[in-house]
Amino acid sequence: MELIKAKDIALGVWNKLKPHCDIIKIAGSIRREKPEVGDIEIVALPKTINDYTLFGDPIKKRIAGWRDEVYGLGKVIKGSAWGKYIQVHLSEHDIDVDIFMPDDFDYWRQLAIRTGSADWTGRFIAGGWRKLGWCGSDVGLRLQSQCEGKEGPDKKIHWKCIAPVSQQTLPPHWESEQEFFDWLGLKWIEPKFRNI
């Protein structure tokens, strides 16, 4: 699909979801301004309310309006509005929307990753945190010293955090994508120049 058409569709989805989000950004090839777009990627931080578990422990729960709006977009292909990822097919436009919903502390890292390109992200973003002693594990970015890596069927190293939760070192809570780049030691680069 041409960029101008995909961008228009993405803005329509963005407008529907925005009232239910603290932060929401269009990512992927649209953000990189690629002339041809295969799907729409959005990174959202849905609004939450305070709730309690069965045992009275406080938890944050996404607002119902978020769920209703996401499920109203089209046919769910995979994932859930309550999880970290959902893919919805917009039948009227015959295009998929991938919506990523990271933890609040990980939002800006995920936006950088989901903006891509995959090759650029692997080389500069993942390469940057590896130089700092971190890895992308099964529970998010963690210190390599607290994880173990095993080669998967895809010949890539997959990291699993082996440290107890109470002893895991969490990455910083970045307040912007620029701050995340600064932490990596990378010069800020506009998304449209992140193509390889």
Side-chain angles (χ1 to χ4, degrees), residues 2-193:
E2 290 182 3
L3 174 62
I4 193 161
K5 184 176 180 185
K7 192 173 191 178
D8 187 53
I9 295 167
L11 284 170
V13 172
W14 183 86
N15 278 316
K16 288 178 181 178
L17 299 179
K18 187 178 185 317
H20 310 289
C21 295
D22 290 327
I23 309 171
I24 183 169
K25 303 276 184 192
I26 298 169
S29 51
I30 294 174
R31 188 169 185 230
R32 294 193 328 271
E33 300 178 21
K34 293 288 286 178
E36 292 290 319
V37 174
D39 59 5
I40 295 169
E41 294 179 75
I42 292 178
V43 184
L45 193 59
K47 290 182 179 178
T48 59
I49 57 172
N50 292 324
D51 202 358
Y52 296 92
T53 67
L54 182 63
F55 302 105
D57 298 320
I59 58 166
K60 289 196 179 278
K61 182 176 169 185
R62 292 181 186 153
I63 61 172
W66 164 258
R67 175 202 61 216
D68 297 342
E69 205 62 64
V70 168
Y71 289 140
L73 292 173
K75 181 182 177 187
V76 174
I77 306 299
K78 53 184 145 178
S80 159
W82 300 124
K84 295 204 185 239
Y85 170 75
I86 189 168
Q87 183 179 64
V88 180
H89 183 71
L90 306 179
S91 57
E92 72 232 52
H93 303 292
D94 195 29
I95 194 166
D96 293 337
V97 178
D98 293 310
I99 304 170
F100 300 92
M101 302 156 284
D103 294 313
D104 60 349
F105 63 83
D106 202 29
Y107 182 86
W108 299 105
R109 180 180 78 100
Q110 288 296 324
L111 179 64
I113 291 169
R114 301 304 170 191
T115 294
S117 72
D119 290 339
W120 191 91
T121 298
R123 184 181 296 175
F124 297 102
I125 301 290
W129 70 53
R130 281 193 301 268
K131 285 179 187 174
L132 295 172
W134 295 79
C135 63
S137 79
D138 59 327
V139 291
L141 200 61
R142 295 294 185 271
L143 287 172
Q144 288 179 17
S145 60
Q146 296 177 342
C147 298
E148 106 182 331
K150 291 186 178 175
E151 187 176 299
D154 56 2
K155 303 294 181 195
K156 294 180 181 177
I157 301 296
H158 296 270
W159 292 90
K160 181 175 181 177
C161 189
I162 55 174
V165 174
S166 62
Q167 295 174 16
Q168 292 176 19
T169 303
L170 297 177
H173 187 141
W174 303 286
E175 297 294 332
S176 69
E177 193 178 32
Q178 174 69 56
E179 196 175 290
F180 173 60
F181 272 58
D182 290 345
W183 178 77
L184 290 172
L186 286 177
K187 181 182 174 188
W188 171 253
I189 183 167
E190 290 290 332
K192 65 183 174 183
F193 299 120

